[in-house]
mmCIF file of all heavy atoms in Angstrom:
data_model
loop_
_atom_site.group_PDB
_atom_site.id
_atom_site.type_symbol
_atom_site.label_atom_id
_atom_site.label_comp_id
_atom_site.label_asym_id
_atom_site.label_seq_id
_atom_site.Cartn_x
_atom_site.Cartn_y
_atom_site.Cartn_z
ATOM 1 N N MET Z 1 0.832 -1.180 -0.005
ATOM 2 C CA MET Z 1 0.002 0.004 -0.001
ATOM 3 C C MET Z 1 0.899 1.250 -0.022
ATOM 4 O O MET Z 1 1.857 1.310 0.713
ATOM 5 C CB MET Z 1 -0.895 -0.025 1.240
ATOM 6 C CG MET Z 1 -1.831 1.110 1.308
ATOM 7 S SD MET Z 1 -3.022 0.949 -0.011
ATOM 8 C CE MET Z 1 -4.445 1.641 0.713
ATOM 9 N N ILE Z 2 0.529 2.220 -0.812
ATOM 10 C CA ILE Z 2 1.269 3.469 -0.906
ATOM 11 C C ILE Z 2 0.707 4.484 0.093
ATOM 12 O O ILE Z 2 -0.486 4.728 0.114
ATOM 13 C CB ILE Z 2 1.167 4.038 -2.331
ATOM 14 C CG1 ILE Z 2 1.785 3.044 -3.340
ATOM 15 C CG2 ILE Z 2 1.870 5.381 -2.424
ATOM 16 C CD1 ILE Z 2 1.503 3.410 -4.775
ATOM 17 N N ASP Z 3 1.569 5.019 0.913
ATOM 18 C CA ASP Z 3 1.164 6.072 1.852
ATOM 19 C C ASP Z 3 1.362 7.424 1.145
ATOM 20 O O ASP Z 3 2.483 7.893 0.988
ATOM 21 C CB ASP Z 3 1.989 6.010 3.124
ATOM 22 C CG ASP Z 3 1.523 7.013 4.159
ATOM 23 O OD1 ASP Z 3 0.515 7.712 3.938
ATOM 24 O OD2 ASP Z 3 2.174 7.101 5.209
ATOM 25 N N THR Z 4 0.271 8.030 0.755
ATOM 26 C CA THR Z 4 0.346 9.302 -0.003
ATOM 27 C C THR Z 4 0.971 10.408 0.815
ATOM 28 O O THR Z 4 1.500 11.338 0.233
ATOM 29 C CB THR Z 4 -1.020 9.730 -0.537
ATOM 30 O OG1 THR Z 4 -1.925 9.822 0.561
ATOM 31 C CG2 THR Z 4 -1.546 8.749 -1.562
ATOM 32 N N ASN Z 5 0.934 10.316 2.108
ATOM 33 C CA ASN Z 5 1.546 11.368 2.944
ATOM 34 C C ASN Z 5 3.065 11.403 2.766
ATOM 35 O O ASN Z 5 3.675 12.438 2.988
ATOM 36 C CB ASN Z 5 1.230 11.156 4.437
ATOM 37 C CG ASN Z 5 -0.221 11.350 4.724
ATOM 38 O OD1 ASN Z 5 -0.869 12.231 4.125
ATOM 39 N ND2 ASN Z 5 -0.768 10.566 5.605
ATOM 40 N N ASP Z 6 3.657 10.307 2.334
ATOM 41 C CA ASP Z 6 5.079 10.248 2.129
ATOM 42 C C ASP Z 6 5.522 10.851 0.777
ATOM 43 O O ASP Z 6 6.671 11.225 0.612
ATOM 44 C CB ASP Z 6 5.601 8.809 2.173
ATOM 45 C CG ASP Z 6 5.517 8.230 3.577
ATOM 46 O OD1 ASP Z 6 5.456 9.012 4.545
ATOM 47 O OD2 ASP Z 6 5.522 7.003 3.698
ATOM 48 N N ILE Z 7 4.593 10.930 -0.189
ATOM 49 C CA ILE Z 7 4.992 11.389 -1.510
ATOM 50 C C ILE Z 7 4.278 12.657 -1.980
ATOM 51 O O ILE Z 7 4.760 13.319 -2.871
ATOM 52 C CB ILE Z 7 4.811 10.286 -2.567
ATOM 53 C CG1 ILE Z 7 3.440 9.695 -2.528
ATOM 54 C CG2 ILE Z 7 5.899 9.234 -2.427
ATOM 55 C CD1 ILE Z 7 3.207 8.578 -3.553
ATOM 56 N N LEU Z 8 3.158 13.041 -1.351
ATOM 57 C CA LEU Z 8 2.448 14.228 -1.782
ATOM 58 C C LEU Z 8 2.737 15.390 -0.829
ATOM 59 O O LEU Z 8 2.743 15.206 0.374
ATOM 60 C CB LEU Z 8 0.942 13.981 -1.782
ATOM 61 C CG LEU Z 8 0.390 12.978 -2.766
ATOM 62 C CD1 LEU Z 8 -1.110 12.787 -2.512
ATOM 63 C CD2 LEU Z 8 0.596 13.443 -4.183
ATOM 64 N N SER Z 9 2.946 16.556 -1.389
ATOM 65 C CA SER Z 9 3.016 17.801 -0.610
ATOM 66 C C SER Z 9 1.822 18.655 -0.983
ATOM 67 O O SER Z 9 1.586 18.894 -2.144
ATOM 68 C CB SER Z 9 4.310 18.567 -0.907
ATOM 69 O OG SER Z 9 5.430 17.842 -0.537
ATOM 70 N N GLY Z 10 1.095 19.088 -0.023
ATOM 71 C CA GLY Z 10 -0.088 19.910 -0.328
ATOM 72 C C GLY Z 10 -1.224 19.532 0.554
ATOM 73 O O GLY Z 10 -1.033 18.881 1.568
ATOM 74 N N PRO Z 11 -2.407 19.969 0.233
ATOM 75 C CA PRO Z 11 -2.844 20.543 -1.032
ATOM 76 C C PRO Z 11 -2.519 22.036 -1.155
ATOM 77 O O PRO Z 11 -2.397 22.708 -0.165
ATOM 78 C CB PRO Z 11 -4.350 20.310 -1.020
ATOM 79 C CG PRO Z 11 -4.723 20.332 0.404
ATOM 80 C CD PRO Z 11 -3.543 19.751 1.140
ATOM 81 N N PHE Z 12 -2.392 22.456 -2.414
ATOM 82 C CA PHE Z 12 -2.086 23.847 -2.722
ATOM 83 C C PHE Z 12 -3.061 24.353 -3.807
ATOM 84 O O PHE Z 12 -3.670 23.558 -4.494
ATOM 85 C CB PHE Z 12 -0.663 23.982 -3.285
ATOM 86 C CG PHE Z 12 0.408 23.469 -2.380
ATOM 87 C CD1 PHE Z 12 1.131 22.338 -2.710
ATOM 88 C CD2 PHE Z 12 0.718 24.131 -1.222
ATOM 89 C CE1 PHE Z 12 2.152 21.866 -1.903
ATOM 90 C CE2 PHE Z 12 1.736 23.655 -0.382
ATOM 91 C CZ PHE Z 12 2.442 22.543 -0.720
ATOM 92 N N THR Z 13 -3.105 25.671 -3.967
ATOM 93 C CA THR Z 13 -3.754 26.236 -5.129
ATOM 94 C C THR Z 13 -2.817 26.022 -6.307
ATOM 95 O O THR Z 13 -1.605 25.894 -6.128
ATOM 96 C CB THR Z 13 -4.036 27.734 -4.968
ATOM 97 O OG1 THR Z 13 -2.800 28.432 -4.847
ATOM 98 C CG2 THR Z 13 -4.920 28.003 -3.751
ATOM 99 N N LEU Z 14 -3.353 26.009 -7.498
ATOM 100 C CA LEU Z 14 -2.527 25.806 -8.681
ATOM 101 C C LEU Z 14 -1.500 26.933 -8.816
ATOM 102 O O LEU Z 14 -0.355 26.714 -9.140
ATOM 103 C CB LEU Z 14 -3.400 25.712 -9.936
ATOM 104 C CG LEU Z 14 -2.652 25.424 -11.237
ATOM 105 C CD1 LEU Z 14 -1.813 24.152 -11.134
ATOM 106 C CD2 LEU Z 14 -3.626 25.352 -12.392
ATOM 107 N N ARG Z 15 -1.914 28.153 -8.530
ATOM 108 C CA ARG Z 15 -1.001 29.310 -8.636
ATOM 109 C C ARG Z 15 0.199 29.136 -7.683
ATOM 110 O O ARG Z 15 1.357 29.328 -8.062
ATOM 111 C CB ARG Z 15 -1.751 30.589 -8.324
ATOM 112 C CG ARG Z 15 -0.828 31.786 -8.203
ATOM 113 C CD ARG Z 15 -1.571 33.044 -7.876
ATOM 114 N NE ARG Z 15 -1.742 33.735 -9.136
ATOM 115 C CZ ARG Z 15 -2.579 34.683 -9.353
ATOM 116 N NH1 ARG Z 15 -3.398 35.066 -8.433
ATOM 117 N NH2 ARG Z 15 -2.646 35.286 -10.527
ATOM 118 N N PHE Z 16 -0.076 28.738 -6.441
ATOM 119 C CA PHE Z 16 0.996 28.548 -5.477
ATOM 120 C C PHE Z 16 1.924 27.407 -5.920
ATOM 121 O O PHE Z 16 3.146 27.516 -5.826
ATOM 122 C CB PHE Z 16 0.422 28.232 -4.078
ATOM 123 C CG PHE Z 16 1.486 28.026 -3.045
ATOM 124 C CD1 PHE Z 16 2.006 29.087 -2.341
ATOM 125 C CD2 PHE Z 16 1.973 26.731 -2.785
ATOM 126 C CE1 PHE Z 16 2.997 28.873 -1.390
ATOM 127 C CE2 PHE Z 16 2.941 26.532 -1.821
ATOM 128 C CZ PHE Z 16 3.466 27.597 -1.129
ATOM 129 N N ALA Z 17 1.362 26.303 -6.365
ATOM 130 C CA ALA Z 17 2.154 25.154 -6.788
ATOM 131 C C ALA Z 17 3.070 25.515 -7.948
ATOM 132 O O ALA Z 17 4.251 25.157 -7.929
ATOM 133 C CB ALA Z 17 1.242 23.991 -7.164
ATOM 134 N N ARG Z 18 2.546 26.227 -8.913
ATOM 135 C CA ARG Z 18 3.382 26.612 -10.063
ATOM 136 C C ARG Z 18 4.486 27.580 -9.661
ATOM 137 O O ARG Z 18 5.608 27.508 -10.154
ATOM 138 C CB ARG Z 18 2.519 27.291 -11.131
ATOM 139 C CG ARG Z 18 1.728 26.289 -11.926
ATOM 140 C CD ARG Z 18 0.987 26.954 -13.063
ATOM 141 N NE ARG Z 18 0.357 25.923 -13.886
ATOM 142 C CZ ARG Z 18 -0.708 26.133 -14.590
ATOM 143 N NH1 ARG Z 18 -1.270 27.323 -14.619
ATOM 144 N NH2 ARG Z 18 -1.220 25.161 -15.327
ATOM 145 N N LYS Z 19 4.220 28.435 -8.700
ATOM 146 C CA LYS Z 19 5.189 29.426 -8.275
ATOM 147 C C LYS Z 19 6.321 28.789 -7.460
ATOM 148 O O LYS Z 19 7.434 29.271 -7.456
ATOM 149 C CB LYS Z 19 4.461 30.456 -7.387
ATOM 150 C CG LYS Z 19 5.169 31.723 -7.169
ATOM 151 C CD LYS Z 19 4.247 32.674 -6.387
ATOM 152 C CE LYS Z 19 4.897 33.972 -6.147
ATOM 153 N NZ LYS Z 19 4.055 34.878 -5.388
ATOM 154 N N ASN Z 20 6.053 27.679 -6.804
ATOM 155 C CA ASN Z 20 7.008 27.060 -5.907
ATOM 156 C C ASN Z 20 7.554 25.720 -6.372
ATOM 157 O O ASN Z 20 8.177 24.987 -5.620
ATOM 158 C CB ASN Z 20 6.388 26.880 -4.528
ATOM 159 C CG ASN Z 20 6.122 28.212 -3.876
ATOM 160 O OD1 ASN Z 20 7.026 28.857 -3.385
ATOM 161 N ND2 ASN Z 20 4.873 28.668 -3.908
ATOM 162 N N LEU Z 21 7.340 25.399 -7.650
ATOM 163 C CA LEU Z 21 7.769 24.119 -8.201
ATOM 164 C C LEU Z 21 9.267 24.120 -8.469
ATOM 165 O O LEU Z 21 9.819 25.042 -9.033
ATOM 166 C CB LEU Z 21 7.002 23.903 -9.512
ATOM 167 C CG LEU Z 21 7.063 22.502 -10.117
ATOM 168 C CD1 LEU Z 21 6.322 21.518 -9.205
ATOM 169 C CD2 LEU Z 21 6.405 22.532 -11.506
ATOM 170 N N LEU Z 22 9.937 23.046 -8.075
ATOM 171 C CA LEU Z 22 11.358 22.856 -8.350
ATOM 172 C C LEU Z 22 11.512 22.038 -9.649
ATOM 173 O O LEU Z 22 10.586 21.351 -10.077
ATOM 174 C CB LEU Z 22 12.028 22.124 -7.196
ATOM 175 C CG LEU Z 22 12.017 22.890 -5.859
ATOM 176 C CD1 LEU Z 22 12.628 22.003 -4.761
ATOM 177 C CD2 LEU Z 22 12.791 24.191 -5.954
ATOM 178 N N PRO Z 23 12.689 22.083 -10.265
ATOM 179 C CA PRO Z 23 12.882 21.367 -11.537
ATOM 180 C C PRO Z 23 12.662 19.841 -11.506
ATOM 181 O O PRO Z 23 12.277 19.264 -12.504
ATOM 182 C CB PRO Z 23 14.355 21.673 -11.894
ATOM 183 C CG PRO Z 23 14.694 22.906 -11.161
ATOM 184 C CD PRO Z 23 13.852 22.897 -9.906
ATOM 185 N N ASP Z 24 12.845 19.249 -10.345
ATOM 186 C CA ASP Z 24 12.650 17.796 -10.252
ATOM 187 C C ASP Z 24 11.302 17.418 -9.658
ATOM 188 O O ASP Z 24 11.105 16.320 -9.138
ATOM 189 C CB ASP Z 24 13.789 17.168 -9.424
ATOM 190 C CG ASP Z 24 13.762 17.579 -7.945
ATOM 191 O OD1 ASP Z 24 13.207 18.660 -7.669
ATOM 192 O OD2 ASP Z 24 14.264 16.839 -7.139
ATOM 193 N N GLU Z 25 10.328 18.323 -9.763
ATOM 194 C CA GLU Z 25 9.000 18.083 -9.194
ATOM 195 C C GLU Z 25 7.932 18.243 -10.279
ATOM 196 O O GLU Z 25 8.175 18.837 -11.328
ATOM 197 C CB GLU Z 25 8.722 19.065 -8.051
ATOM 198 C CG GLU Z 25 9.640 18.875 -6.875
ATOM 199 C CD GLU Z 25 9.426 19.895 -5.778
ATOM 200 O OE1 GLU Z 25 9.026 21.033 -6.066
ATOM 201 O OE2 GLU Z 25 9.686 19.556 -4.622
ATOM 202 N N ALA Z 26 6.733 17.746 -9.969
ATOM 203 C CA ALA Z 26 5.589 17.872 -10.866
ATOM 204 C C ALA Z 26 4.344 18.204 -10.025
ATOM 205 O O ALA Z 26 4.295 17.891 -8.833
ATOM 206 C CB ALA Z 26 5.351 16.563 -11.623
ATOM 207 N N ILE Z 27 3.391 18.834 -10.668
ATOM 208 C CA ILE Z 27 2.100 19.129 -10.052
ATOM 209 C C ILE Z 27 1.129 18.078 -10.503
ATOM 210 O O ILE Z 27 1.025 17.785 -11.697
ATOM 211 C CB ILE Z 27 1.620 20.532 -10.433
ATOM 212 C CG1 ILE Z 27 2.631 21.608 -10.054
ATOM 213 C CG2 ILE Z 27 0.246 20.823 -9.805
ATOM 214 C CD1 ILE Z 27 2.338 22.969 -10.642
ATOM 215 N N VAL Z 28 0.389 17.518 -9.546
ATOM 216 C CA VAL Z 28 -0.625 16.498 -9.863
ATOM 217 C C VAL Z 28 -1.955 16.858 -9.221
ATOM 218 O O VAL Z 28 -1.999 17.639 -8.258
ATOM 219 C CB VAL Z 28 -0.196 15.089 -9.443
ATOM 220 C CG1 VAL Z 28 1.037 14.625 -10.206
ATOM 221 C CG2 VAL Z 28 0.058 15.017 -7.938
ATOM 222 N N THR Z 29 -3.028 16.287 -9.749
ATOM 223 C CA THR Z 29 -4.370 16.483 -9.191
ATOM 224 C C THR Z 29 -5.177 15.224 -9.408
ATOM 225 O O THR Z 29 -4.862 14.434 -10.307
ATOM 226 C CB THR Z 29 -5.078 17.686 -9.799
ATOM 227 O OG1 THR Z 29 -6.323 17.904 -9.127
ATOM 228 C CG2 THR Z 29 -5.322 17.524 -11.292
ATOM 229 N N ASN Z 30 -6.183 15.065 -8.616
ATOM 230 C CA ASN Z 30 -7.131 13.941 -8.837
ATOM 231 C C ASN Z 30 -8.553 14.448 -8.963
ATOM 232 O O ASN Z 30 -9.461 13.694 -9.194
ATOM 233 C CB ASN Z 30 -7.003 12.860 -7.784
ATOM 234 C CG ASN Z 30 -7.369 13.379 -6.402
ATOM 235 O OD1 ASN Z 30 -7.502 14.565 -6.171
ATOM 236 N ND2 ASN Z 30 -7.495 12.461 -5.468
ATOM 237 N N ASP Z 31 -8.748 15.770 -8.804
ATOM 238 C CA ASP Z 31 -10.113 16.317 -8.892
ATOM 239 C C ASP Z 31 -10.203 17.677 -9.565
ATOM 240 O O ASP Z 31 -11.248 18.312 -9.518
ATOM 241 C CB ASP Z 31 -10.742 16.386 -7.493
ATOM 242 C CG ASP Z 31 -9.979 17.295 -6.561
ATOM 243 O OD1 ASP Z 31 -9.059 18.030 -6.993
ATOM 244 O OD2 ASP Z 31 -10.307 17.309 -5.369
ATOM 245 N N ASP Z 32 -9.131 18.157 -10.154
ATOM 246 C CA ASP Z 32 -9.085 19.438 -10.873
ATOM 247 C C ASP Z 32 -9.310 20.660 -9.979
ATOM 248 O O ASP Z 32 -9.479 21.754 -10.490
ATOM 249 C CB ASP Z 32 -10.045 19.473 -12.044
ATOM 250 C CG ASP Z 32 -9.647 18.522 -13.153
ATOM 251 O OD1 ASP Z 32 -8.429 18.347 -13.361
ATOM 252 O OD2 ASP Z 32 -10.545 17.919 -13.781
ATOM 253 N N SER Z 33 -9.306 20.514 -8.674
ATOM 254 C CA SER Z 33 -9.430 21.685 -7.798
ATOM 255 C C SER Z 33 -8.410 21.638 -6.650
ATOM 256 O O SER Z 33 -8.207 22.633 -5.992
ATOM 257 C CB SER Z 33 -10.852 21.794 -7.226
ATOM 258 O OG SER Z 33 -11.162 20.695 -6.434
ATOM 259 N N THR Z 34 -7.814 20.495 -6.400
ATOM 260 C CA THR Z 34 -6.815 20.329 -5.369
ATOM 261 C C THR Z 34 -5.525 19.857 -6.030
ATOM 262 O O THR Z 34 -5.522 18.883 -6.773
ATOM 263 C CB THR Z 34 -7.263 19.264 -4.339
ATOM 264 O OG1 THR Z 34 -8.563 19.586 -3.893
ATOM 265 C CG2 THR Z 34 -6.308 19.206 -3.164
ATOM 266 N N PHE Z 35 -4.414 20.572 -5.761
ATOM 267 C CA PHE Z 35 -3.175 20.286 -6.428
ATOM 268 C C PHE Z 35 -2.072 19.953 -5.434
ATOM 269 O O PHE Z 35 -2.051 20.504 -4.337
ATOM 270 C CB PHE Z 35 -2.747 21.520 -7.267
ATOM 271 C CG PHE Z 35 -3.804 21.887 -8.279
ATOM 272 C CD1 PHE Z 35 -4.778 22.810 -7.986
ATOM 273 C CD2 PHE Z 35 -3.814 21.265 -9.524
ATOM 274 C CE1 PHE Z 35 -5.772 23.126 -8.909
ATOM 275 C CE2 PHE Z 35 -4.809 21.555 -10.428
ATOM 276 C CZ PHE Z 35 -5.769 22.507 -10.144
ATOM 277 N N TYR Z 36 -1.249 19.013 -5.828
ATOM 278 C CA TYR Z 36 -0.160 18.537 -4.971
ATOM 279 C C TYR Z 36 1.150 18.602 -5.745
ATOM 280 O O TYR Z 36 1.169 18.526 -6.970
ATOM 281 C CB TYR Z 36 -0.395 17.080 -4.550
ATOM 282 C CG TYR Z 36 -1.650 16.886 -3.770
ATOM 283 C CD1 TYR Z 36 -2.862 16.616 -4.387
ATOM 284 C CD2 TYR Z 36 -1.631 16.989 -2.376
ATOM 285 C CE1 TYR Z 36 -4.037 16.431 -3.672
ATOM 286 C CE2 TYR Z 36 -2.811 16.815 -1.649
ATOM 287 C CZ TYR Z 36 -3.999 16.541 -2.299
ATOM 288 O OH TYR Z 36 -5.149 16.389 -1.566
ATOM 289 N N ILE Z 37 2.253 18.731 -5.011
ATOM 290 C CA ILE Z 37 3.581 18.693 -5.624
ATOM 291 C C ILE Z 37 4.235 17.372 -5.239
ATOM 292 O O ILE Z 37 4.200 16.979 -4.066
ATOM 293 C CB ILE Z 37 4.434 19.863 -5.103
ATOM 294 C CG1 ILE Z 37 3.825 21.194 -5.577
ATOM 295 C CG2 ILE Z 37 5.859 19.741 -5.622
ATOM 296 C CD1 ILE Z 37 4.541 22.441 -5.041
ATOM 297 N N ILE Z 38 4.787 16.695 -6.252
ATOM 298 C CA ILE Z 38 5.454 15.423 -6.027
ATOM 299 C C ILE Z 38 6.827 15.464 -6.692
ATOM 300 O O ILE Z 38 7.071 16.253 -7.583
ATOM 301 C CB ILE Z 38 4.642 14.231 -6.567
ATOM 302 C CG1 ILE Z 38 4.484 14.344 -8.088
ATOM 303 C CG2 ILE Z 38 3.328 14.113 -5.883
ATOM 304 C CD1 ILE Z 38 4.083 13.068 -8.764
ATOM 305 N N ARG Z 39 7.696 14.563 -6.285
ATOM 306 C CA ARG Z 39 8.947 14.338 -7.005
ATOM 307 C C ARG Z 39 8.633 13.569 -8.285
ATOM 308 O O ARG Z 39 7.768 12.699 -8.291
ATOM 309 C CB ARG Z 39 9.918 13.534 -6.138
ATOM 310 C CG ARG Z 39 10.285 14.205 -4.860
ATOM 311 C CD ARG Z 39 11.712 14.684 -4.959
ATOM 312 N NE ARG Z 39 12.048 15.330 -3.698
ATOM 313 C CZ ARG Z 39 12.638 16.506 -3.688
ATOM 314 N NH1 ARG Z 39 12.971 17.124 -4.780
ATOM 315 N NH2 ARG Z 39 12.930 17.078 -2.544
ATOM 316 N N LEU Z 40 9.333 13.872 -9.350
ATOM 317 C CA LEU Z 40 9.069 13.220 -10.639
ATOM 318 C C LEU Z 40 9.201 11.700 -10.528
ATOM 319 O O LEU Z 40 8.463 10.979 -11.164
ATOM 320 C CB LEU Z 40 9.999 13.755 -11.712
ATOM 321 C CG LEU Z 40 9.683 15.170 -12.210
ATOM 322 C CD1 LEU Z 40 10.779 15.650 -13.161
ATOM 323 C CD2 LEU Z 40 8.352 15.213 -12.900
ATOM 324 N N GLY Z 41 10.108 11.227 -9.714
ATOM 325 C CA GLY Z 41 10.309 9.789 -9.531
ATOM 326 C C GLY Z 41 9.126 9.094 -8.913
ATOM 327 O O GLY Z 41 8.993 7.852 -9.029
ATOM 328 N N ASP Z 42 8.237 9.823 -8.246
ATOM 329 C CA ASP Z 42 7.068 9.220 -7.603
ATOM 330 C C ASP Z 42 5.809 9.262 -8.482
ATOM 331 O O ASP Z 42 4.737 8.822 -8.054
ATOM 332 C CB ASP Z 42 6.772 9.940 -6.279
ATOM 333 C CG ASP Z 42 7.842 9.677 -5.239
ATOM 334 O OD1 ASP Z 42 8.427 8.585 -5.250
ATOM 335 O OD2 ASP Z 42 8.065 10.587 -4.414
ATOM 336 N N TYR Z 43 5.919 9.788 -9.677
ATOM 337 C CA TYR Z 43 4.734 9.974 -10.506
ATOM 338 C C TYR Z 43 4.004 8.655 -10.798
ATOM 339 O O TYR Z 43 2.792 8.579 -10.727
ATOM 340 C CB TYR Z 43 5.043 10.696 -11.835
ATOM 341 C CG TYR Z 43 3.817 10.862 -12.674
ATOM 342 C CD1 TYR Z 43 2.795 11.703 -12.256
ATOM 343 C CD2 TYR Z 43 3.643 10.160 -13.836
ATOM 344 C CE1 TYR Z 43 1.648 11.858 -12.998
ATOM 345 C CE2 TYR Z 43 2.490 10.280 -14.591
ATOM 346 C CZ TYR Z 43 1.491 11.119 -14.158
ATOM 347 O OH TYR Z 43 0.348 11.261 -14.904
ATOM 348 N N GLU Z 44 4.731 7.600 -11.105
ATOM 349 C CA GLU Z 44 4.091 6.319 -11.394
ATOM 350 C C GLU Z 44 3.267 5.820 -10.211
ATOM 351 O O GLU Z 44 2.212 5.237 -10.390
ATOM 352 C CB GLU Z 44 5.126 5.282 -11.808
ATOM 353 C CG GLU Z 44 5.727 5.520 -13.163
ATOM 354 C CD GLU Z 44 6.736 4.480 -13.556
ATOM 355 O OE1 GLU Z 44 6.853 3.448 -12.842
ATOM 356 O OE2 GLU Z 44 7.453 4.678 -14.551
ATOM 357 N N LYS Z 45 3.758 6.048 -9.010
ATOM 358 C CA LYS Z 45 3.043 5.617 -7.807
ATOM 359 C C LYS Z 45 1.695 6.327 -7.683
ATOM 360 O O LYS Z 45 0.680 5.692 -7.428
ATOM 361 C CB LYS Z 45 3.869 5.847 -6.565
ATOM 362 C CG LYS Z 45 5.130 5.050 -6.485
ATOM 363 C CD LYS Z 45 5.955 5.453 -5.289
ATOM 364 C CE LYS Z 45 7.315 4.804 -5.296
ATOM 365 N NZ LYS Z 45 8.168 5.337 -4.210
ATOM 366 N N VAL Z 46 1.710 7.659 -7.852
ATOM 367 C CA VAL Z 46 0.466 8.409 -7.676
ATOM 368 C C VAL Z 46 -0.475 8.258 -8.857
ATOM 369 O O VAL Z 46 -1.684 8.369 -8.725
ATOM 370 C CB VAL Z 46 0.701 9.896 -7.330
ATOM 371 C CG1 VAL Z 46 1.414 10.030 -6.014
ATOM 372 C CG2 VAL Z 46 1.441 10.632 -8.427
ATOM 373 N N GLU Z 47 0.097 7.974 -10.038
ATOM 374 C CA GLU Z 47 -0.739 7.738 -11.209
ATOM 375 C C GLU Z 47 -1.621 6.529 -11.006
ATOM 376 O O GLU Z 47 -2.796 6.519 -11.383
ATOM 377 C CB GLU Z 47 0.148 7.556 -12.473
ATOM 378 C CG GLU Z 47 -0.633 7.481 -13.738
ATOM 379 C CD GLU Z 47 0.268 7.322 -14.942
ATOM 380 O OE1 GLU Z 47 1.306 6.638 -14.848
ATOM 381 O OE2 GLU Z 47 -0.088 7.901 -15.975
ATOM 382 N N ARG Z 48 -1.105 5.510 -10.354
ATOM 383 C CA ARG Z 48 -1.892 4.286 -10.062
ATOM 384 C C ARG Z 48 -3.037 4.615 -9.090
ATOM 385 O O ARG Z 48 -4.002 3.883 -9.048
ATOM 386 C CB ARG Z 48 -0.996 3.207 -9.469
ATOM 387 C CG ARG Z 48 -0.149 2.523 -10.498
ATOM 388 C CD ARG Z 48 0.638 1.393 -9.879
ATOM 389 N NE ARG Z 48 2.051 1.741 -9.989
ATOM 390 C CZ ARG Z 48 2.979 1.528 -9.091
ATOM 391 N NH1 ARG Z 48 2.708 0.912 -7.984
ATOM 392 N NH2 ARG Z 48 4.205 1.899 -9.301
ATOM 393 N N LEU Z 49 -2.883 5.688 -8.325
ATOM 394 C CA LEU Z 49 -3.941 6.079 -7.383
ATOM 395 C C LEU Z 49 -4.967 7.032 -8.014
ATOM 396 O O LEU Z 49 -5.853 7.527 -7.321
ATOM 397 C CB LEU Z 49 -3.315 6.742 -6.174
ATOM 398 C CG LEU Z 49 -2.375 5.860 -5.337
ATOM 399 C CD1 LEU Z 49 -1.685 6.669 -4.280
ATOM 400 C CD2 LEU Z 49 -3.146 4.717 -4.717
ATOM 401 N N GLY Z 50 -4.829 7.341 -9.291
ATOM 402 C CA GLY Z 50 -5.796 8.185 -9.979
ATOM 403 C C GLY Z 50 -5.360 9.629 -10.157
ATOM 404 O O GLY Z 50 -6.162 10.446 -10.607
ATOM 405 N N PHE Z 51 -4.139 9.983 -9.793
ATOM 406 C CA PHE Z 51 -3.652 11.342 -9.992
ATOM 407 C C PHE Z 51 -3.107 11.497 -11.394
ATOM 408 O O PHE Z 51 -2.685 10.527 -12.021
ATOM 409 C CB PHE Z 51 -2.538 11.664 -8.992
ATOM 410 C CG PHE Z 51 -3.009 11.820 -7.591
ATOM 411 C CD1 PHE Z 51 -3.174 10.708 -6.761
ATOM 412 C CD2 PHE Z 51 -3.301 13.068 -7.066
ATOM 413 C CE1 PHE Z 51 -3.613 10.850 -5.458
ATOM 414 C CE2 PHE Z 51 -3.747 13.200 -5.761
ATOM 415 C CZ PHE Z 51 -3.885 12.095 -4.958
ATOM 416 N N ARG Z 52 -3.125 12.707 -11.908
ATOM 417 C CA ARG Z 52 -2.546 12.999 -13.221
ATOM 418 C C ARG Z 52 -1.781 14.307 -13.152
ATOM 419 O O ARG Z 52 -2.060 15.167 -12.318
ATOM 420 C CB ARG Z 52 -3.616 13.045 -14.310
ATOM 421 C CG ARG Z 52 -4.637 14.148 -14.085
ATOM 422 C CD ARG Z 52 -5.636 14.201 -15.206
ATOM 423 N NE ARG Z 52 -6.636 15.195 -14.937
ATOM 424 C CZ ARG Z 52 -6.466 16.514 -15.048
ATOM 425 N NH1 ARG Z 52 -5.309 16.957 -15.450
ATOM 426 N NH2 ARG Z 52 -7.418 17.363 -14.758
ATOM 427 N N LYS Z 53 -0.798 14.477 -14.073
ATOM 428 C CA LYS Z 53 -0.009 15.690 -14.110
ATOM 429 C C LYS Z 53 -0.845 16.840 -14.621
ATOM 430 O O LYS Z 53 -1.736 16.636 -15.460
ATOM 431 C CB LYS Z 53 1.204 15.513 -15.060
ATOM 432 C CG LYS Z 53 2.320 14.775 -14.497
ATOM 433 C CD LYS Z 53 3.496 14.818 -15.464
ATOM 434 C CE LYS Z 53 4.578 13.891 -15.049
ATOM 435 N NZ LYS Z 53 5.662 13.871 -16.044
ATOM 436 N N VAL Z 54 -0.524 18.012 -14.145
ATOM 437 C CA VAL Z 54 -1.198 19.237 -14.638
ATOM 438 C C VAL Z 54 -0.345 19.886 -15.682
ATOM 439 O O VAL Z 54 0.852 19.935 -15.564
ATOM 440 C CB VAL Z 54 -1.430 20.203 -13.435
ATOM 441 C CG1 VAL Z 54 -1.999 21.528 -13.921
ATOM 442 C CG2 VAL Z 54 -2.289 19.562 -12.424
#
């Protein structure tokens, strides 16, 4: 089981997430209104949980 607390930072507004994104990070969402910042290496894990890149 994946503990999302270990890989997701947030929730944030999209504006805040874009402003504070580092080069090795991505913004993801699962509902188009709540946005999280993750490390690029963790994308496959959160994708399986229904998240997608913004």
Side-chain angles (χ1 to χ4, degrees):
M1 183 67 148
I2 299 170
D3 184 4
T4 56
N5 292 324
D6 291 339
I7 52 180
L8 295 175
S9 296
F12 302 111
T13 63
L14 183 55
R15 172 181 261 163
F16 179 87
R18 284 186 173 153
K19 197 174 179 181
N20 293 284
L21 194 66
L22 296 175
D24 66 335
E25 296 176 331
I27 301 169
V28 295
T29 186
N30 62 349
D31 62 8
D32 292 324
S33 63
T34 308
F35 302 93
Y36 299 90
I37 296 175
I38 62 162
R39 298 252 179 227
L40 287 173
D42 292 329
Y43 180 67
E44 288 180 10
K45 294 175 188 172
V46 296
E47 187 179 37
R48 284 184 245 141
L49 298 173
F51 288 85
R52 61 177 177 76
K53 281 186 190 176
V54 175

